[in-house]
Amino acid sequence: MDAFADPTLLVNTKAGTVRGSRDGNTHRWLGIPYATPPVGELRLKAPLPVQPWTGVRDALEFGSAAPQEPTKVIPLPVGVEINEDCLNLNVWAPPRAEGDTRQRPVMFWIHGGAYFIGFSAQPVYNGRALAETGDVVVVTINYRLGALGFLDFTSFSDPADPFDSNLGMRDILLALNWVKDNIAAFGGNPDDVTIFGESAGAGCVTTLMTMPSAEGLFHRAIAESSPATSVYKPERAALVAKAYLDLIGVEAKDAAQRLREIDAVTLAQQTTHLLDYVATTWPGTVAFAPIVDGDLIPGYPVAAFRAGKQIKVPLIIGTNHDEAALFKMMKSPLMPISESSINEMFELVAKDNPKLKNLEPGIIAEYPDFPKQKGGMEIARDAGFRMPSIWVAEAHSKVAPTWMYRFDQAPPLMKLLGIGASHATELPYVFGTLPDRLSEKKALQFRLGGLKEARQISQRMMARWLSFARTADPVTVDSETGQDLAWPRYDELSRSTLIINGTDTIENDPDGDIRKAWGEEVLGFK
């Protein structure tokens, strides 16, 4: 039965009816708008709810991706365009038999990409396997990125018509409200939502957990490689925004007008240059990030966690063993790995936090491979992802169930190339989007084998993530013995950590000496 003749693919949202399609045994609706297009006078403004439509709206193709510079690392799928009208989302849901009124758990995905690239149409984020395997409803979203989503131009706007702050975060918040209002029509439970994300998406997750306006919109959270400390104060944000204006040749006095006149694609063309400029001028920081505006984001997220002011929902949080290898491979300065850039990073941290100025020698002493590149990559990994995740886990474990993991899995070729379990390599394991037998030979990372083991690991990861979404307990069962593969909660006494590799193992306080060397104070930039 095709989409036009199948009534189960017609869903009535509050804005209008959408028609979906079948993806195997799963139903899906793609490119559903959740906001009014943020264009014209609405550019650099908080998003508004989507305007209602009449008739049936086809939701058969992915919507437009947010304005960004095209990259070979994340190629656009055929048919997907870059457009400022990008506030759309996708839904995958198991088919419902006649009379089936169950409301299934919802998994709400926030993609990564350093807050300036990425989109929900990336094949790795296909929600079909999670929906089919776990009997859940999966939602993936697009949100504003780069200059239009994560630069703060509020200090350059017209007081009579001011720009808003944290536009990308406001988009995600509106998408969560859309889920609250509409997901029941797709068979999802609006009172049983798990948010999950990776990299910048995980940074959005940990930031959302400290936003009062997000209270009640989600009930569990998963943060994969969160740069939780990469959230900055307005004064620093204004410096970065001014550097961007200089790159695009706009005077500060003209910014309020020119930022609405310039084509969105043109605005995106300087994002990589700004990223590189910021990463080399202030090593250890990123150009695009959420801002502590005192409104949507009242304070620094990690500080909020430590003060017990976060939203107290169950949390899975973790990192990959070789996070920095991706940035080395891409030759990106986003993570400082050279001796000079790491030394400068510590100097800048001490300048921001004078009481931390004597920590550097003790930390570096725990990395015997430094100043060689291997040691630099380990320091960058821990500064950017591992320690921020530990600081969040420590604090959150005092007020809510918390689980911590480390993803160590890498196919033989990736180990041979020195890439290992790099940043983002866990994604196809989580989504069940590893290569199938038809595409196995085209998958570079498995040229030397390892795919069979990878599929087994993927099954366990999916089972844990899905069990968490359904029951708030990330347990799974050994396929051979039938025994539960329990995952002890994280706390400051045991620091139990799931090591995800060929087999699941539990280590208490892995690399504890390194963790202790970083100390009790949060090292980050304001």
Side-chain angles (χ1 to χ4, degrees):
M1 185 183 296
D2 65 31
F4 291 89
D6 188 346
T8 64
L9 296 173
L10 291 175
V11 174
N12 296 319
T13 73
K14 290 196 172 183
T17 302
V18 291
R19 176 188 286 113
S21 60
R22 290 181 179 273
D23 184 7
N25 293 324
T26 301
H27 292 177
R28 68 178 183 184
W29 296 262
L30 306 178
I32 303 172
Y34 65 84
T36 299
V39 300
E41 293 301 310
L42 296 183
R43 180 186 282 180
L44 298 177
K45 304 285 279 187
L48 298 176
V50 63
Q51 294 297 306
W53 60 84
T54 58
V56 176
R57 184 184 186 117
D58 284 338
L60 309 176
E61 304 289 342
F62 286 107
S64 297
Q68 57 194 275
E69 289 185 89
T71 170
K72 293 180 180 178
V73 178
I74 313 176
L76 278 170
V78 175
V80 175
E81 298 179 346
I82 289 176
N83 193 293
E84 194 172 3
D85 180 6
C86 63
L87 301 185
N88 54 74
L89 53 79
N90 318 294
V91 180
W92 282 264
R96 288 186 290 171
E98 187 175 351
D100 181 0
T101 59
R102 287 180 300 152
Q103 288 189 319
R104 294 166 170 83
V106 178
M107 298 186 73
F108 180 98
W109 175 253
I110 308 169
H111 72 75
Y115 300 107
F116 83 109
I117 56 174
F119 40 87
S120 63
Q122 291 173 234
V124 71
Y125 304 143
N126 188 306
R128 172 182 167 180
L130 283 173
E132 286 187 1
T133 304
D135 197 33
V136 298
V137 175
V138 178
V139 178
T140 66
I141 70 165
N142 284 333
Y143 54 101
R144 280 176 284 183
L145 303 170
L148 296 177
F150 285 93
L151 283 186
D152 184 20
F153 293 111
T154 55
S155 59
F156 300 100
S157 59
D158 182 351
D161 184 23
F163 299 145
D164 290 315
S165 60
N166 287 306
L167 298 166
M169 297 304 303
R170 293 181 192 274
D171 294 343
I172 296 168
L173 194 65
L174 185 60
L176 281 167
N177 275 287
W178 184 96
V179 167
K180 179 181 179 181
D181 293 340
N182 294 285
I183 206 64
F186 297 84
N189 186 348
D191 296 317
D192 194 5
V193 177
T194 297
I195 58 173
F196 67 133
E198 182 269 342
S199 192
C204 292
V205 167
T206 49
T207 300
L208 281 164
M209 292 179 71
T210 67
M211 290 166 46
S213 53
E215 182 88 48
L217 295 178
F218 60 91
H219 312 89
R220 284 173 288 283
I222 303 173
E224 303 170 23
S225 304
S226 171
T229 52
S230 295
V231 181
Y232 307 116
K233 63 183 178 181
E235 292 81 1
R236 181 191 178 280
L239 288 176
V240 176
K242 178 59 169 63
Y244 174 78
L245 293 176
D246 292 341
L247 279 173
I248 63 173
V250 172
E251 295 284 341
K253 62 182 177 61
D254 301 324
Q257 178 181 349
R258 294 287 293 138
L259 285 172
R260 285 222 175 96
E261 292 177 343
I262 300 173
D263 176 77
V265 175
T266 301
L267 290 175
Q269 287 174 351
Q270 293 296 333
T271 50
T272 301
H273 287 149
L274 181 68
L275 190 87
D276 292 350
Y277 169 77
V278 170
T280 52
T281 304
W282 300 288
T285 70
V286 294
F288 308 100
I291 301 301
V292 177
D293 57 9
D295 172 26
L296 191 74
I297 302 175
Y300 295 102
V302 177
F305 274 97
R306 288 194 156 191
K309 295 180 180 179
Q310 74 274 44
I311 298 172
K312 299 172 179 60
V313 297
L315 170 69
I316 290 175
I317 189 167
T319 58
N320 293 1
H321 188 276
D322 307 291
E323 296 276 8
L326 173 69
F327 304 95
K328 172 197 148 187
M329 183 175 64
M330 294 171 57
K331 299 181 179 179
S332 168
L334 192 59
M335 295 192 76
I337 60 176
S338 69
E339 180 179 13
S340 61
S341 62
I342 285 175
N343 289 337
E344 188 174 358
M345 175 186 73
F346 279 113
E347 289 173 6
L348 291 170
V349 168
K351 186 177 180 181
D352 250 8
N353 308 271
K355 61 182 177 180
L356 303 178
K357 64 181 180 179
N358 296 320
L359 281 177
E360 180 184 359
I363 292 173
I364 288 180
E366 291 298 327
Y367 297 88
D369 288 314
F370 187 77
K372 294 178 182 177
Q373 191 176 69
K374 182 176 183 292
M377 290 167 61
E378 291 171 348
I379 293 173
R381 170 201 65 198
D382 293 348
F385 298 109
R386 180 171 175 267
M387 289 310 303
S389 295
I390 287 176
W391 292 324
V392 168
E394 285 175 343
H396 199 62
S397 67
K398 297 176 182 177
V399 299
T402 303
W403 291 266
M404 190 156 209
Y405 73 88
R406 192 182 75 202
F407 184 80
D408 285 13
Q409 163 64 15
L413 180 60
M414 297 299 101
K415 293 178 182 177
L416 183 65
L417 295 175
I419 296 172
S422 185
H423 190 64
T425 53
E426 88 285 1
L427 290 173
Y429 295 79
V430 168
F431 277 88
T433 49
L434 288 164
D436 57 27
R437 286 186 174 86
L438 294 177
S439 58
E440 181 176 350
K441 293 182 179 180
K442 297 180 182 178
L444 175 63
Q445 68 270 40
F446 295 107
R447 288 283 174 86
L448 296 183
L451 185 55
K452 180 180 178 181
E453 180 183 63
R455 289 194 180 113
Q456 294 170 346
I457 295 167
S458 176
Q459 288 175 359
R460 293 199 304 271
M461 280 193 81
M462 290 177 68
R464 290 193 186 278
W465 266 228
L466 287 164
S467 175
F468 180 74
R470 289 192 301 261
T471 69
D473 184 3
V475 68
T476 190
V477 175
D478 188 299
S479 59
E480 295 183 1
T481 66
Q483 293 180 331
D484 284 352
L485 295 174
W487 182 355
R489 293 182 185 179
Y490 187 90
D491 59 50
E492 285 189 289
L493 181 63
S494 67
R495 300 185 183 273
S496 294
T497 302
L498 175 70
I499 308 299
I500 301 172
N501 210 332
T503 57
D504 285 354
T505 58
I506 302 296
E507 289 189 24
N508 291 338
D509 199 15
D511 296 322
D513 290 341
I514 292 176
R515 176 191 59 78
K516 292 173 186 175
W518 284 85
E520 297 299 319
E521 295 292 332
V522 173
L523 272 70
F525 296 92
K526 296 182 175 64

